Short mmCIF file of all heavy atoms in Angstrom, two decimals:
data_model
loop_
_atom_site.label_atom_id
_atom_site.label_comp_id
_atom_site.label_asym_id
_atom_site.label_seq_id
_atom_site.Cartn_x
_atom_site.Cartn_y
_atom_site.Cartn_z
N ILE A 391 18.74 -14.98 2.68
CA ILE A 391 19.63 -15.99 2.12
C ILE A 391 20.45 -15.34 1.01
O ILE A 391 19.91 -14.95 -0.03
CB ILE A 391 18.83 -17.19 1.57
CG1 ILE A 391 17.98 -17.82 2.67
CG2 ILE A 391 19.78 -18.22 0.96
CD1 ILE A 391 17.08 -18.93 2.19
N ASN A 392 21.73 -15.20 1.26
CA ASN A 392 22.61 -14.56 0.28
C ASN A 392 23.42 -15.56 -0.54
O ASN A 392 24.03 -15.19 -1.54
CB ASN A 392 23.57 -13.59 0.99
CG ASN A 392 22.83 -12.45 1.65
OD1 ASN A 392 21.89 -11.90 1.08
ND2 ASN A 392 23.24 -12.09 2.86
N SER A 393 23.43 -16.82 -0.13
CA SER A 393 24.21 -17.84 -0.84
C SER A 393 23.38 -18.46 -1.96
O SER A 393 23.05 -19.64 -1.94
CB SER A 393 24.67 -18.93 0.13
OG SER A 393 23.56 -19.53 0.78
N THR A 394 23.00 -17.64 -2.95
CA THR A 394 22.21 -18.11 -4.08
C THR A 394 23.12 -18.54 -5.22
O THR A 394 24.33 -18.31 -5.21
CB THR A 394 21.28 -17.00 -4.58
OG1 THR A 394 22.09 -15.89 -5.02
CG2 THR A 394 20.35 -16.53 -3.47
N ARG A 395 22.53 -19.18 -6.24
CA ARG A 395 23.32 -19.58 -7.41
C ARG A 395 23.89 -18.37 -8.12
O ARG A 395 25.01 -18.39 -8.64
CB ARG A 395 22.45 -20.41 -8.36
CG ARG A 395 22.16 -21.82 -7.86
CD ARG A 395 21.46 -22.64 -8.93
NE ARG A 395 21.30 -24.02 -8.53
CZ ARG A 395 20.24 -24.47 -7.86
NH1 ARG A 395 19.26 -23.63 -7.54
NH2 ARG A 395 20.14 -25.74 -7.53
N ALA A 396 23.09 -17.28 -8.16
CA ALA A 396 23.56 -16.07 -8.82
C ALA A 396 24.76 -15.49 -8.07
O ALA A 396 25.71 -14.98 -8.69
CB ALA A 396 22.44 -15.04 -8.89
N ALA A 397 24.74 -15.57 -6.74
CA ALA A 397 25.84 -15.02 -5.94
C ALA A 397 27.13 -15.79 -6.15
O ALA A 397 28.23 -15.26 -5.96
CB ALA A 397 25.46 -15.01 -4.46
N SER A 398 27.01 -17.05 -6.55
CA SER A 398 28.21 -17.88 -6.73
C SER A 398 28.83 -17.72 -8.11
O SER A 398 29.89 -18.28 -8.38
CB SER A 398 27.84 -19.36 -6.52
OG SER A 398 26.94 -19.82 -7.52
N VAL A 399 28.17 -16.94 -8.98
CA VAL A 399 28.68 -16.75 -10.34
C VAL A 399 29.68 -15.59 -10.33
O VAL A 399 29.32 -14.46 -9.99
CB VAL A 399 27.54 -16.44 -11.33
CG1 VAL A 399 28.11 -16.17 -12.72
CG2 VAL A 399 26.56 -17.61 -11.39
N GLY A 400 30.91 -15.87 -10.72
CA GLY A 400 31.92 -14.82 -10.81
C GLY A 400 31.94 -14.23 -12.21
O GLY A 400 32.11 -14.95 -13.20
N ILE A 401 31.73 -12.92 -12.32
CA ILE A 401 31.72 -12.26 -13.62
C ILE A 401 32.67 -11.05 -13.57
O ILE A 401 32.89 -10.47 -12.51
CB ILE A 401 30.32 -11.80 -14.03
CG1 ILE A 401 29.72 -10.86 -12.97
CG2 ILE A 401 29.39 -12.97 -14.28
CD1 ILE A 401 28.40 -10.23 -13.40
N SER A 402 33.19 -10.69 -14.71
CA SER A 402 34.07 -9.53 -14.80
C SER A 402 33.24 -8.25 -14.81
O SER A 402 32.02 -8.28 -15.02
CB SER A 402 34.91 -9.62 -16.08
OG SER A 402 34.06 -9.52 -17.22
N GLU A 403 33.91 -7.12 -14.61
CA GLU A 403 33.22 -5.84 -14.66
C GLU A 403 32.64 -5.60 -16.05
O GLU A 403 31.56 -5.01 -16.19
CB GLU A 403 34.18 -4.71 -14.28
CG GLU A 403 34.40 -4.55 -12.79
CD GLU A 403 33.09 -4.28 -12.05
OE1 GLU A 403 32.38 -3.33 -12.44
OE2 GLU A 403 32.78 -5.01 -11.10
N LYS A 404 33.36 -6.05 -17.08
CA LYS A 404 32.87 -5.87 -18.44
C LYS A 404 31.56 -6.61 -18.66
O LYS A 404 30.63 -6.07 -19.28
CB LYS A 404 33.93 -6.37 -19.43
CG LYS A 404 33.57 -6.14 -20.89
CD LYS A 404 34.68 -6.60 -21.82
CE LYS A 404 34.30 -6.37 -23.27
NZ LYS A 404 35.39 -6.82 -24.20
N VAL A 405 31.47 -7.84 -18.15
CA VAL A 405 30.23 -8.62 -18.28
C VAL A 405 29.12 -7.98 -17.46
O VAL A 405 27.96 -7.91 -17.90
CB VAL A 405 30.46 -10.08 -17.85
CG1 VAL A 405 29.14 -10.83 -17.77
CG2 VAL A 405 31.41 -10.77 -18.82
N ARG A 406 29.45 -7.49 -16.27
CA ARG A 406 28.44 -6.82 -15.44
C ARG A 406 27.87 -5.61 -16.18
O ARG A 406 26.66 -5.38 -16.18
CB ARG A 406 29.04 -6.42 -14.10
CG ARG A 406 28.11 -5.57 -13.22
CD ARG A 406 28.69 -5.32 -11.87
NE ARG A 406 28.69 -6.54 -11.08
CZ ARG A 406 27.64 -6.96 -10.37
NH1 ARG A 406 26.53 -6.27 -10.36
NH2 ARG A 406 27.72 -8.07 -9.69
N TRP A 407 28.74 -4.83 -16.78
CA TRP A 407 28.27 -3.66 -17.54
C TRP A 407 27.37 -4.09 -18.69
O TRP A 407 26.37 -3.42 -18.98
CB TRP A 407 29.46 -2.87 -18.08
CG TRP A 407 30.29 -2.22 -17.01
CD1 TRP A 407 29.89 -1.89 -15.75
CD2 TRP A 407 31.66 -1.84 -17.11
NE1 TRP A 407 30.93 -1.33 -15.04
CE2 TRP A 407 32.03 -1.28 -15.85
CE3 TRP A 407 32.63 -1.90 -18.12
CZ2 TRP A 407 33.32 -0.79 -15.60
CZ3 TRP A 407 33.90 -1.41 -17.87
CH2 TRP A 407 34.24 -0.87 -16.63
N ARG A 408 27.72 -5.20 -19.33
CA ARG A 408 26.90 -5.70 -20.44
C ARG A 408 25.51 -6.09 -19.93
O ARG A 408 24.49 -5.76 -20.56
CB ARG A 408 27.60 -6.90 -21.08
CG ARG A 408 26.78 -7.58 -22.18
CD ARG A 408 26.91 -6.88 -23.50
NE ARG A 408 25.96 -7.41 -24.48
CZ ARG A 408 26.11 -8.57 -25.15
NH1 ARG A 408 27.21 -9.31 -24.93
NH2 ARG A 408 25.21 -8.96 -26.02
N ILE A 409 25.47 -6.78 -18.81
CA ILE A 409 24.18 -7.19 -18.24
C ILE A 409 23.36 -5.97 -17.83
O ILE A 409 22.14 -5.90 -18.07
CB ILE A 409 24.38 -8.14 -17.04
CG1 ILE A 409 25.01 -9.45 -17.50
CG2 ILE A 409 23.06 -8.40 -16.33
CD1 ILE A 409 25.39 -10.39 -16.36
N GLU A 410 24.02 -5.00 -17.22
CA GLU A 410 23.32 -3.77 -16.83
C GLU A 410 22.79 -3.04 -18.05
O GLU A 410 21.69 -2.46 -18.01
CB GLU A 410 24.25 -2.88 -16.03
CG GLU A 410 24.55 -3.41 -14.63
CD GLU A 410 25.56 -2.55 -13.89
OE1 GLU A 410 26.21 -1.70 -14.54
OE2 GLU A 410 25.71 -2.74 -12.66
N GLY A 411 23.56 -3.07 -19.16
CA GLY A 411 23.09 -2.44 -20.38
C GLY A 411 21.87 -3.14 -20.97
O GLY A 411 20.93 -2.48 -21.43
N LEU A 412 21.90 -4.46 -20.95
CA LEU A 412 20.75 -5.23 -21.45
C LEU A 412 19.52 -5.05 -20.58
O LEU A 412 18.39 -5.25 -21.03
CB LEU A 412 21.12 -6.72 -21.51
CG LEU A 412 22.14 -7.14 -22.57
CD1 LEU A 412 22.57 -8.58 -22.34
CD2 LEU A 412 21.57 -6.97 -23.97
N ASN A 413 19.74 -4.68 -19.32
CA ASN A 413 18.65 -4.52 -18.37
C ASN A 413 18.58 -3.09 -17.84
O ASN A 413 18.25 -2.86 -16.66
CB ASN A 413 18.83 -5.50 -17.21
CG ASN A 413 18.68 -6.94 -17.64
OD1 ASN A 413 17.59 -7.50 -17.68
ND2 ASN A 413 19.82 -7.57 -17.97
N ALA A 414 18.86 -2.14 -18.71
CA ALA A 414 18.91 -0.73 -18.29
C ALA A 414 17.58 -0.27 -17.70
O ALA A 414 17.55 0.49 -16.72
CB ALA A 414 19.30 0.15 -19.47
N LEU A 415 16.48 -0.72 -18.27
CA LEU A 415 15.17 -0.34 -17.75
C LEU A 415 14.94 -0.94 -16.37
O LEU A 415 14.43 -0.27 -15.46
CB LEU A 415 14.06 -0.78 -18.71
CG LEU A 415 14.10 -0.20 -20.12
CD1 LEU A 415 12.94 -0.73 -20.94
CD2 LEU A 415 14.07 1.32 -20.09
N ASP A 416 15.31 -2.21 -16.21
CA ASP A 416 15.18 -2.87 -14.91
C ASP A 416 16.05 -2.20 -13.86
O ASP A 416 15.66 -2.09 -12.69
CB ASP A 416 15.55 -4.35 -15.02
CG ASP A 416 14.35 -5.23 -15.36
OD1 ASP A 416 13.31 -4.67 -15.75
OD2 ASP A 416 14.46 -6.46 -15.24
N VAL A 417 17.25 -1.78 -14.25
CA VAL A 417 18.15 -1.11 -13.31
C VAL A 417 17.51 0.17 -12.80
O VAL A 417 17.52 0.46 -11.60
CB VAL A 417 19.51 -0.82 -13.97
CG1 VAL A 417 20.35 0.12 -13.10
CG2 VAL A 417 20.27 -2.12 -14.23
N GLU A 418 16.93 0.95 -13.71
CA GLU A 418 16.29 2.20 -13.28
C GLU A 418 15.05 1.92 -12.45
O GLU A 418 14.79 2.61 -11.45
CB GLU A 418 15.94 3.05 -14.50
CG GLU A 418 15.38 4.42 -14.11
CD GLU A 418 15.27 5.38 -15.28
OE1 GLU A 418 15.91 5.13 -16.33
OE2 GLU A 418 14.56 6.39 -15.15
N LEU A 419 14.28 0.92 -12.84
CA LEU A 419 13.09 0.57 -12.06
C LEU A 419 13.47 0.13 -10.65
O LEU A 419 12.84 0.53 -9.67
CB LEU A 419 12.31 -0.55 -12.75
CG LEU A 419 11.10 -1.10 -11.95
CD1 LEU A 419 10.00 -0.04 -11.88
CD2 LEU A 419 10.58 -2.39 -12.57
N TYR A 420 14.52 -0.69 -10.55
CA TYR A 420 14.92 -1.20 -9.24
C TYR A 420 15.42 -0.07 -8.33
O TYR A 420 15.12 -0.07 -7.13
CB TYR A 420 15.99 -2.28 -9.38
CG TYR A 420 16.35 -2.91 -8.05
CD1 TYR A 420 15.54 -3.90 -7.50
CD2 TYR A 420 17.48 -2.51 -7.35
CE1 TYR A 420 15.85 -4.47 -6.27
CE2 TYR A 420 17.80 -3.08 -6.13
CZ TYR A 420 16.98 -4.05 -5.59
OH TYR A 420 17.29 -4.61 -4.37
N GLU A 421 16.17 0.87 -8.88
CA GLU A 421 16.62 2.00 -8.07
C GLU A 421 15.44 2.80 -7.56
O GLU A 421 15.41 3.24 -6.41
CB GLU A 421 17.56 2.89 -8.89
CG GLU A 421 18.92 2.26 -9.16
CD GLU A 421 19.64 1.87 -7.87
OE1 GLU A 421 19.69 2.71 -6.95
OE2 GLU A 421 20.12 0.72 -7.77
N TYR A 422 14.46 3.01 -8.42
CA TYR A 422 13.23 3.71 -8.02
C TYR A 422 12.50 2.91 -6.95
O TYR A 422 12.07 3.46 -5.92
CB TYR A 422 12.34 3.89 -9.25
CG TYR A 422 10.96 4.42 -8.94
CD1 TYR A 422 10.72 5.77 -8.81
CD2 TYR A 422 9.88 3.54 -8.81
CE1 TYR A 422 9.44 6.25 -8.54
CE2 TYR A 422 8.62 4.00 -8.54
CZ TYR A 422 8.40 5.36 -8.41
OH TYR A 422 7.13 5.81 -8.12
N ALA A 423 12.35 1.61 -7.17
CA ALA A 423 11.63 0.75 -6.23
C ALA A 423 12.34 0.69 -4.88
O ALA A 423 11.69 0.70 -3.83
CB ALA A 423 11.49 -0.66 -6.81
N LYS A 424 13.65 0.62 -4.91
CA LYS A 424 14.42 0.53 -3.67
C LYS A 424 14.27 1.80 -2.84
O LYS A 424 14.06 1.75 -1.61
CB LYS A 424 15.89 0.28 -3.99
CG LYS A 424 16.78 0.13 -2.78
CD LYS A 424 18.22 -0.16 -3.20
CE LYS A 424 19.15 -0.23 -2.01
NZ LYS A 424 20.55 -0.50 -2.43
N GLU A 425 14.36 2.96 -3.49
CA GLU A 425 14.21 4.22 -2.76
C GLU A 425 12.82 4.32 -2.13
O GLU A 425 12.67 4.66 -0.95
CB GLU A 425 14.45 5.41 -3.69
CG GLU A 425 14.29 6.75 -2.96
CD GLU A 425 14.40 7.94 -3.90
OE1 GLU A 425 14.57 7.74 -5.12
OE2 GLU A 425 14.28 9.07 -3.41
N LEU A 426 11.79 4.03 -2.92
CA LEU A 426 10.43 4.13 -2.40
C LEU A 426 10.19 3.11 -1.30
O LEU A 426 9.53 3.40 -0.30
CB LEU A 426 9.42 3.92 -3.55
CG LEU A 426 7.94 3.97 -3.18
CD1 LEU A 426 7.58 5.28 -2.47
CD2 LEU A 426 7.07 3.77 -4.42
N PHE A 427 10.71 1.90 -1.48
CA PHE A 427 10.57 0.84 -0.48
C PHE A 427 11.17 1.27 0.86
O PHE A 427 10.54 1.12 1.92
CB PHE A 427 11.26 -0.43 -0.99
CG PHE A 427 11.28 -1.58 -0.02
CD1 PHE A 427 10.22 -2.47 0.05
CD2 PHE A 427 12.37 -1.78 0.81
CE1 PHE A 427 10.24 -3.53 0.93
CE2 PHE A 427 12.40 -2.85 1.69
CZ PHE A 427 11.34 -3.72 1.75
N LEU A 428 12.37 1.81 0.83
CA LEU A 428 13.04 2.21 2.07
C LEU A 428 12.35 3.42 2.71
O LEU A 428 12.29 3.54 3.94
CB LEU A 428 14.51 2.51 1.81
CG LEU A 428 15.35 1.29 1.41
CD1 LEU A 428 16.78 1.70 1.08
CD2 LEU A 428 15.33 0.23 2.51
N ARG A 429 11.81 4.31 1.89
CA ARG A 429 11.06 5.44 2.43
C ARG A 429 9.76 4.95 3.08
O ARG A 429 9.36 5.46 4.14
CB ARG A 429 10.76 6.46 1.34
CG ARG A 429 11.99 7.26 0.89
CD ARG A 429 11.62 8.25 -0.19
NE ARG A 429 12.79 8.96 -0.66
CZ ARG A 429 13.28 10.07 -0.14
NH1 ARG A 429 12.68 10.59 0.93
NH2 ARG A 429 14.34 10.66 -0.63
N ARG A 430 9.12 3.99 2.45
CA ARG A 430 7.90 3.43 3.06
C ARG A 430 8.23 2.74 4.38
O ARG A 430 7.47 2.88 5.35
CB ARG A 430 7.26 2.41 2.09
CG ARG A 430 6.51 3.05 0.95
CD ARG A 430 5.92 2.00 0.02
NE ARG A 430 5.12 2.61 -1.03
CZ ARG A 430 4.53 1.94 -2.00
NH1 ARG A 430 4.66 0.62 -2.07
NH2 ARG A 430 3.81 2.58 -2.91
N TYR A 431 9.33 2.04 4.41
CA TYR A 431 9.73 1.37 5.65
C TYR A 431 10.00 2.40 6.75
O TYR A 431 9.53 2.25 7.88
CB TYR A 431 10.98 0.53 5.40
CG TYR A 431 11.54 -0.12 6.65
CD1 TYR A 431 10.96 -1.26 7.18
CD2 TYR A 431 12.64 0.43 7.30
CE1 TYR A 431 11.46 -1.85 8.33
CE2 TYR A 431 13.15 -0.15 8.45
CZ TYR A 431 12.56 -1.29 8.96
OH TYR A 431 13.05 -1.86 10.11
N GLN A 432 10.74 3.45 6.41
CA GLN A 432 11.06 4.49 7.39
C GLN A 432 9.78 5.18 7.87
O GLN A 432 9.60 5.41 9.07
CB GLN A 432 12.00 5.51 6.75
CG GLN A 432 12.54 6.57 7.70
CD GLN A 432 13.48 7.53 7.01
OE1 GLN A 432 13.28 7.86 5.84
NE2 GLN A 432 14.50 7.98 7.70
N TYR A 433 8.90 5.49 6.94
CA TYR A 433 7.63 6.14 7.29
C TYR A 433 6.80 5.24 8.20
O TYR A 433 6.25 5.68 9.22
CB TYR A 433 6.86 6.47 6.02
CG TYR A 433 5.47 7.03 6.28
CD1 TYR A 433 5.29 8.38 6.52
CD2 TYR A 433 4.35 6.20 6.28
CE1 TYR A 433 4.02 8.90 6.75
CE2 TYR A 433 3.09 6.70 6.51
CZ TYR A 433 2.94 8.05 6.76
OH TYR A 433 1.67 8.56 7.00
N SER A 434 6.72 3.95 7.86
CA SER A 434 5.91 3.01 8.65
C SER A 434 6.48 2.83 10.04
O SER A 434 5.72 2.74 11.03
CB SER A 434 5.82 1.67 7.93
OG SER A 434 4.92 0.80 8.56
N ARG A 435 7.81 2.77 10.16
CA ARG A 435 8.43 2.63 11.48
C ARG A 435 8.13 3.85 12.34
O ARG A 435 7.82 3.72 13.54
CB ARG A 435 9.94 2.46 11.34
CG ARG A 435 10.36 1.16 10.69
CD ARG A 435 10.13 -0.05 11.57
NE ARG A 435 10.96 -0.05 12.76
CZ ARG A 435 10.94 -1.03 13.66
NH1 ARG A 435 10.13 -2.07 13.50
NH2 ARG A 435 11.72 -0.98 14.71
N GLN A 436 8.19 5.02 11.76
CA GLN A 436 7.89 6.23 12.52
C GLN A 436 6.42 6.26 12.95
O GLN A 436 6.10 6.65 14.07
CB GLN A 436 8.24 7.47 11.70
CG GLN A 436 9.74 7.65 11.53
CD GLN A 436 10.09 8.94 10.85
OE1 GLN A 436 9.30 9.49 10.08
NE2 GLN A 436 11.29 9.44 11.11
N ARG A 437 5.54 5.86 12.03
CA ARG A 437 4.12 5.78 12.38
C ARG A 437 3.90 4.81 13.54
O ARG A 437 3.11 5.08 14.45
CB ARG A 437 3.30 5.35 11.17
CG ARG A 437 3.06 6.43 10.15
CD ARG A 437 2.15 7.53 10.68
NE ARG A 437 0.86 7.02 11.10
CZ ARG A 437 -0.20 6.93 10.29
NH1 ARG A 437 -0.10 7.30 9.03
NH2 ARG A 437 -1.34 6.47 10.76
N GLN A 438 4.58 3.67 13.48
CA GLN A 438 4.44 2.69 14.55
C GLN A 438 4.90 3.27 15.88
O GLN A 438 4.24 3.08 16.91
CB GLN A 438 5.23 1.43 14.22
CG GLN A 438 5.09 0.33 15.26
CD GLN A 438 5.93 -0.89 14.96
OE1 GLN A 438 6.82 -0.84 14.13
NE2 GLN A 438 5.66 -1.98 15.65
#
Side-chain angles (χ1 to χ4, degrees):
I391 301 175
N392 296 319
S393 57
T394 61
R395 286 188 174 90
S398 65
V399 177
I401 57 173
S402 66
E403 280 301 307
K404 184 178 180 180
V405 171
R406 174 174 289 275
W407 293 337
R408 175 82 189 282
I409 294 174
E410 289 176 347
L412 291 170
N413 293 274
L415 300 180
D416 270 13
V417 169
E418 186 169 343
L419 175 69
Y420 184 80
E421 288 303 312
Y422 171 85
K424 182 178 177 180
E425 180 186 1
L426 179 56
F427 176 87
L428 294 176
R429 287 180 183 273
R430 283 179 176 177
Y431 176 78
Q432 187 179 35
Y433 174 85
S434 188
R435 293 289 294 181
Q436 290 186 334
R437 283 293 302 270
Q438 182 183 14

